[in-house]
Amino acid sequence: LGGRHIDGAQLYLNSKAVGRGIREAMRRGVKREEIFLTSKIFPTHYGYESTMKVVKSELDDLGLEYIDLFLLHFPSSGPLGSPCSKEGKGISQCRKETWQALSELRNKGNIINTGVSNFAVKHIQELEAMTDVAPVANNQISFSPFVPEKTMETVEYCHQRNITVTAYMPLGGQHQRSLVMRDLAGLSTKLGKSVSQIMLRWAIQSGCAVIPGTGNPNHMKENLSVYEIELSDAEMKQINELKYNAKGYMNMDTNMFD
């Protein structure tokens, strides 16, 4: 029992271990094309030449020929800067240079798909305005019933543009646990499923892929069983309205970044 959608990143510093795991799975008979591997470049490495080096390093550490999906991890490096910004270039230009490099690596087959993470609509549109580059295939964002309306607007834009959305933190984070249990307990009793299963199912029916993380086999089984239920329109509406009632939810608005 396990997952075959592996969410990695340069920042996580575990590419060698991930690569060993994938190669071991392949040795046991799992086909490489049945594994979907995501990685990300952190904004402190944005820039054309730096991106080329990062992707090569990731592939070397993984011991693989290609990465299925490579993302820009965050819109801005903030005060930390990047090799690109140290040349006096603004963050917008640095994102574009990074995207140009990823596009060329995609053409070479080192990357199959290109995307972004934590990007607001304006950041996506910036990349879409470029010519002769790869399309924005995915936006990985924090997504649960409790996200504010601005996040829902980003999701709607992505769906309109055929950009897939991957939901990390689909259970809302530990700080929302008490709210979740109170507001969804009735649905849990009615459907005979846990609150976590209901939240995952809501995200899936909202048109998102979900990546709940767990090393617990029982939780893995529970997560996979979300395909056994279907939420009605009324139940989806009930959950949709929770985000407006969740007070004090901390969710960074990446629109604040240029």
Side-chain angles (χ1 to χ4, degrees), residues 213-224:
T214 180
N216 185 319
N218 292 328
H219 290 169
M220 290 182 191
K221 292 178 182 178
E222 183 177 282
N223 292 343
L224 288 171

Side-chain angles (χ1 to χ4, degrees), residues 74-109:
F74 200 78
S76 174
S77 59
L80 297 175
S82 68
C84 178
S85 67
K86 290 174 183 176
E87 296 175 359
K89 300 173 183 176
I91 185 58
S92 174
Q93 182 61 32
C94 293
R95 285 193 296 261
K96 291 176 182 177
E97 288 192 12
T98 302
W99 196 255
Q100 180 66 47
L102 292 182
S103 298
E104 293 179 16
L105 291 165
R106 177 177 176 267
N107 289 339
K108 293 178 181 178

Side-chain angles (χ1 to χ4, degrees), residues 2-204:
R4 296 188 183 184
H5 181 168
I6 302 170
D7 182 56
Q10 171 197 20
L11 182 67
Y12 303 161
L13 302 176
N14 62 356
S15 295
K16 290 183 179 179
V18 168
R20 286 196 299 269
I22 291 175
R23 293 195 303 277
E24 175 62 18
M26 293 168 63
R27 188 186 68 80
R28 297 185 183 188
V30 178
K31 296 179 181 178
R32 172 63 182 89
E33 57 267 28
E34 293 179 356
I35 299 170
F36 192 89
L37 173 63
T38 299
S39 190
K40 312 176 191 75
I41 180 170
F42 202 64
T44 51
H45 289 80
Y46 282 0
Y48 181 87
E49 294 296 339
S50 180
T51 300
M52 290 292 191
K53 292 177 183 177
V54 165
V55 175
K56 182 181 185 304
S57 177
E58 281 288 285
L59 287 169
D60 289 345
D61 287 347
L62 289 163
L64 300 174
E65 294 181 357
Y66 67 89
I67 295 169
D68 297 275
L69 176 63
F70 213 97
L71 310 177
L72 277 67
H73 204 149
F74 200 78
S76 174
S77 59
L80 297 175
S82 68
C84 178
S85 67
K86 290 174 183 176
E87 296 175 359
K89 300 173 183 176
I91 185 58
S92 174
Q93 182 61 32
C94 293
R95 285 193 296 261
K96 291 176 182 177
E97 288 192 12
T98 302
W99 196 255
Q100 180 66 47
L102 292 182
S103 298
E104 293 179 16
L105 291 165
R106 177 177 176 267
N107 289 339
K108 293 178 181 178
N110 301 123
I111 297 168
I112 306 303
N113 300 284
T114 49
V116 297
S117 181
N118 302 299
F119 271 40
V121 171
K122 67 178 184 180
H123 302 124
I124 297 173
Q125 291 175 332
E126 171 187 273
L127 301 180
E128 290 179 320
M130 297 174 66
T131 57
D132 299 322
V133 293
V136 180
N138 178 263
N139 189 12
Q140 185 183 120
I141 59 175
S142 174
F143 186 73
S144 75
F146 307 100
V147 295
E149 186 61 25
K150 55 183 164 45
T151 302
M152 294 302 298
E153 291 170 0
T154 299
V155 171
E156 289 170 8
Y157 179 83
C158 289
H159 288 163
Q160 291 167 4
R161 302 292 294 174
N162 292 319
I163 298 170
T164 60
V165 177
T166 301
Y168 70 82
M169 284 182 63
L171 303 183
Q174 290 295 327
H175 58 284
Q176 279 297 321
R177 189 65 60 187
S178 60
L179 263 175
V180 170
M181 293 304 296
R182 184 179 70 239
D183 292 329
L184 295 180
L187 275 178
S188 176
T189 300
K190 174 185 174 183
L191 298 173
K193 296 292 182 181
S194 70
V195 167
S196 295
Q197 288 172 307
I198 292 170
M199 292 177 73
L200 292 175
R201 185 64 200 179
W202 172 85
I204 291 170

